[in-house]
Amino acid sequence: MTSNNDIHGILAYPVTPFTEDQRVDTDKLATLVDRLVTGGAHGIVPLGSTGESAYLTEVEFDAVIDTTIGVVDRRVPVIIGASDLTTANTIRRAQHAERSGADAVMVLPISYWKLSEREIAQHYAAIGAAIGIPIMVYNNPATSGIDMRPELLVQMFSDIDNVTMVKESTGDITRMERLSELTGGRLPFYNGSNPMILKAFKAGAKGWCTAAPNLLPQPCLDLYAAARAGDWAKAEAIYTELKPFLEFIVAGGLPTTIKGGLELLGRGVGDPRPPLLPLDAGGREELARLLL
């Protein structure tokens, strides 16, 4: 089993490419994933919100898993986003990821009904019992509508053997500080809020889950290296340069902005899947200013 020590640094989200008739383009996905790995990403995290996982059929979902894991070929860890509305289908996705060779799965508690803490804990316990690879618990109330308190996250870390790490995306640095305080630093946490990355590294985040390396890989790598070396003056300078870009891609929606940026860079991967739309003219102009 992959250890938490293996999962660190820049954990890159690939987008899911589509053809003109809105089929998943596995050839372009393979090219994109390989570029992220050879460009220095320390891990690959497909099938989150950046990968438009909510808009894929199960056949498409499995194709993205298989393509990504095949292309990475054990060069870096692969953490598969396996979230779904039902526990049963989240388990199906997580089991497919495990069979295909994933190193871990990332699970966001998605539900039409707001889940109680008892229901959240049982959801993760059922997934944990069904697979043998680590689970990254993903807290992102902006997309899921469910906010997990640090105390609940720590309780699941204690009670469920393969809940071994947390991705915290609320943008509230005190959440990370509380996770560290409650566990004496034993629970690894990862930043999922792009504009908060400098504070997150200072708080002890082991890694940065981000779509930014699709467009600007080197500044992300440089920021992590500076933070790891404790060179906070250098890290802050890099972050200051990168911050307007990070704020733009989050505000405009990650699938839309990242795909727009790849098009601007001559590496187009198709449009987002409706109801998402491509960047408008103003957005393209602003992103070009930030990139080129």
Side-chain angles (χ1 to χ4, degrees):
M1 181 186 289
T2 296
S3 74
N4 288 331
N5 290 331
D6 298 325
I7 299 175
H8 69 94
I10 302 303
L11 306 178
Y13 304 144
V15 293
T16 298
F18 295 116
T19 61
E20 287 187 8
D21 59 356
Q22 283 291 307
R23 289 179 294 110
V24 172
D25 192 327
T26 53
D27 289 340
K28 286 188 176 178
L29 175 62
T31 299
L32 176 62
V33 169
D34 186 65
R35 184 180 292 114
L36 288 169
V37 175
T38 58
H42 302 100
I44 302 295
V45 190
L47 295 168
S49 51
T50 301
E52 299 178 71
S53 59
Y55 308 124
L56 301 180
T57 68
E58 294 306 294
V59 170
E60 292 172 332
F61 202 94
D62 292 352
V64 172
I65 291 174
D66 297 342
T67 299
T68 302
I69 291 172
V71 170
V72 173
D73 194 25
R74 298 290 176 190
R75 289 177 288 173
V76 297
V78 177
I79 304 99
I80 297 292
S83 313
D84 194 44
L85 281 165
T86 67
T87 301
N89 204 47
T90 303
I91 288 172
R92 190 212 72 79
R93 291 175 169 187
Q95 288 177 331
H96 185 90
E98 182 175 25
R99 286 193 301 270
S100 297
D103 295 281
V105 293
M106 178 179 72
V107 177
L108 178 76
I110 308 168
S111 183
Y112 179 88
W113 296 104
K114 185 175 181 179
L115 302 179
S116 68
E117 291 195 345
R118 182 172 66 93
E119 289 167 330
I120 293 167
Q122 180 55 40
H123 179 64
Y124 281 99
I127 298 161
I131 59 174
I133 56 177
I135 298 170
M136 175 184 282
V137 178
Y138 178 15
N139 190 39
N140 189 355
T143 56
S144 71
I146 296 170
D147 190 5
M148 293 180 280
R149 298 181 305 120
E151 290 77 7
L152 173 62
L153 296 170
V154 169
Q155 188 62 53
M156 292 194 295
F157 174 62
S158 299
D159 293 347
I160 305 169
D161 288 344
N162 45 353
V163 167
T164 64
M165 49 193 156
V166 169
K167 175 185 164 189
E168 175 56 61
S169 298
T170 58
D172 179 357
I173 195 63
T174 64
R175 301 297 190 94
M176 294 184 180
E177 294 167 346
R178 183 66 174 152
L179 289 173
S180 184
E181 175 190 336
L182 288 169
T183 64
R186 291 183 300 111
L187 174 54
F189 55 86
Y190 301 78
N191 178 62
S193 174
N194 281 299
M196 196 177 72
I197 184 54
L198 185 62
K199 289 181 180 179
F201 278 145
K202 287 182 177 180
K206 282 199 65 175
W208 178 14
C209 301
T210 176
N214 289 279
L215 304 179
L216 292 177
Q218 198 58 51
C220 299
L221 295 167
D222 292 345
L223 176 55
Y224 174 64
R228 199 173 192 187
D231 188 345
W232 296 112
K234 182 176 181 180
E236 186 153 1
I238 297 167
Y239 173 73
T240 299
E241 288 280 322
L242 200 53
K243 185 180 178 185
F245 165 75
L246 297 177
E247 291 176 337
F248 177 87
I249 62 173
V250 171
L254 293 171
T256 293
T257 55
I258 298 300
K259 287 186 172 184
L262 288 168
E263 183 71 30
L264 288 169
L265 295 175
R267 301 198 296 264
V269 292
D271 292 337
R273 179 168 277 178
L276 302 182
L277 293 174
L279 271 180
D280 60 19
R284 285 174 58 87
E285 182 179 337
E286 176 64 11
L287 185 53
R289 185 186 66 78
L290 293 166
L291 288 178
L292 305 175

